[in-house]
Amino acid sequence: MALIVQKFGGTSVANPEKIKAVAERVLARQREGHRLVVVLSAMAGETNRFVDLANQMQNIPAPRELDMLLATGEQVTISLFAMAVKELGGDAVSLLGDQVKIHTDNMHTRARILAIDHELINNHLDQGRVVVVAGFQGVTESGEITTLGRGGSDTTAVALAAALKADQCDIFTDVEGVYTTDPNICASARKIDRITYDEMLELASLGAKVLDIRSVSIAKRHKVPVQVRSTFTNTEGTWVVEEDKTMESNPVSGVTYNRNEARITVSKLPDVPGIASRLFTPVAKEGIVVDMIIQNTRDGNLTDLTFTVPKTDYKRAMPIVEKTAREIGAERVSGSENICKVSVVGVGMRNHPGIATTMFDVLAREGINIEMISTSEIKISCVIDEKYTELAVRALHDAFNLQEKEA
Ligand code: ASP
Ligand code: MG
């Protein structure tokens, strides 16, 4: 008998029929003899609808009140779901974050989970009930309702699995798992059977949207085996697990891309201590997150500095950078919103030299200019012109033989 946490996303519970189908699926699993904890998102589109409503009330909605509103979406699905289970002859109980006691800090709209009580859930499980928990929400020490940030239900599910020491956490969604690349732009993309936490962290942070990145960090820390799979089929999904020997056959596990960043270049800065700090401090103070940073040296004590920021922050970042650039006597600030970061990821890279060279060769052969490069132990990223995204992704996917099943 296993303890299984199953999370169903918004598209999986988008209407009453779908909720009933999910209830059947969960009950079938319980009848195999397992203990089931179910985490649900709001119906697809609901959270967006609430954000819209809030924006009609207040220019910048008060975070506390926004949480009060956003948390209602999940209350709808968990209660309906528990009814559906009962109608099918099973037993279920729905619980809100503050009933379970999903303790969070008090950062409204982006709260972090601090601890989760398991007593109440375990009591209900002992009674043979399916326990249905509202995703995405928690409660502060003083009893305030919080939400975890958009996409936060994955985090609720994995954190619950960790707290309850569950045997596995299934994340049910509208795709069959994690793919070697985006199937929408590369027809030969293949579902990955097993991937490591580290690879998944890189893929999630680089733009793959299947799993919320915070949930992957929690899974890694607590060694929770996570399976990403489809609600609408019975096929086995992708397992996100600890690294083992069978995973290293192909040095590259996936190709990913991110079109949500913009590039800023400051040319001919004086190359003296303190310049980077002068330049980036005001940017950080505005809450703008800088991603890739590249600095090179020129002759004559001058340097160029290029970095990326989220595209949505580009217009805000530019004047801040221009102001500092003037103050420190840089020659010019330029930038582009039309960039794309293409990356190859794989733990096998650690033991296979030459992956970067292959990547550069492939891009060169396609006539694609590389604007920036960054690497980590298991990832190589190149910033290129956005218009070559599809071409680059397909060529790299092909060059690293990702369409073929690993041996
Ligand atoms: N309902 C929330 C959202 O749409 C949380 C989630 O679905 O994970 O962001
Ligand atoms: Mg999601």
Side-chain angles (χ1 to χ4, degrees), residues 220-407:
K220 179 184 169 179
R221 200 169 340 122
H222 298 275
K223 299 188 169 54
V224 179
V226 174
Q227 183 188 192
V228 182
R229 60 183 303 174
S230 167
T231 311
F232 308 112
T233 67
N234 279 317
T235 6
E236 182 102 352
T238 299
W239 282 95
V240 189
V241 289
E242 280 193 282
E243 186 172 349
D244 68 37
K245 295 213 168 48
T246 63
M247 289 171 161
E248 291 180 34
S249 52
N250 196 338
V252 173
S253 302
V255 177
T256 182
Y257 64 93
N258 183 349
R259 290 193 267 221
N260 302 325
E261 288 183 26
R263 175 180 60 77
I264 298 180
T265 300
V266 186
S267 314
K268 295 198 183 169
L269 290 147
D271 195 6
V272 294
I275 284 296
S277 153
R278 280 280 303 274
L279 201 68
F280 290 117
T281 305
V283 177
K285 275 206 180 111
E286 280 301 309
I288 298 171
V289 180
V290 172
D291 180 27
M292 288 165 95
I293 302 178
I294 288 178
Q295 189 190 340
N296 60 348
T297 342
R298 295 180 172 250
D299 292 340
N301 291 332
L302 292 176
T303 179
D304 295 334
L305 224 152
T306 299
F307 57 96
T308 62
V309 294
K311 208 175 257 184
T312 45
D313 289 331
Y314 178 72
K315 293 214 163 63
R316 226 153 42 89
M318 255 325 213
I320 301 172
V321 175
E322 276 163 350
K323 180 164 178 280
T324 328
R326 266 196 308 276
E327 287 166 9
I328 57 186
E331 189 184 280
R332 203 166 92 86
V333 179
S334 57
S336 169
E337 287 183 275
N338 304 316
I339 60 161
C340 173
K341 182 165 73 176
V342 189
S343 311
V344 300
V345 174
V347 284
M349 223 176 260
R350 289 195 290 241
N351 316 314
H352 288 76
I355 301 302
T357 323
T358 308
M359 180 173 192
F360 305 152
D361 283 349
V362 170
L363 296 177
R365 227 186 305 131
E366 300 295 336
I368 301 170
N369 184 43
I370 301 172
E371 297 179 24
M372 300 171 81
I373 300 168
S374 85
T375 61
S376 80
E377 211 191 359
I378 63 163
K379 172 208 75 179
I380 304 156
S381 301
C382 293
V383 169
I384 60 169
D385 190 323
E386 188 178 9
K387 70 178 179 230
Y388 296 124
T389 308
E390 283 86 356
L391 181 63
V393 168
R394 288 184 200 126
L396 289 166
H397 194 262
D398 205 47
F400 289 110
N401 287 320
L402 292 178
Q403 70 286 3
E404 276 156 37
K405 196 88 183 144
E406 287 155 37

Side-chain angles (χ1 to χ4, degrees), residues 8 35 114 117 143 161 177 204 209 214 225 315 343 378:
F8 294 86
R35 287 153 78 91
L114 302 174
D117 294 358
K209 289 172 222 78
R214 292 160 299 171
K315 293 214 163 63
S343 311
I378 63 163

Side-chain angles (χ1 to χ4, degrees), residues 97-105 111-119 121 137-141 146 148 155-156 159-160 162-164 218 221-222:
D98 69 333
Q99 292 178 301
V100 172
K101 291 269 181 276
I102 297 180
H103 303 275
T104 72
D105 62 19
R112 283 168 54 95
I113 296 179
L114 302 174
I116 299 182
D117 294 358
H118 37 76
E119 208 183 323
I121 292 184
Q137 57 178 259
V139 64
T140 68
E141 212 183 330
T146 52
L148 310 179
T155 301
T156 305
L160 260 173
L164 298 167
I218 299 175
R221 200 169 340 122
H222 298 275

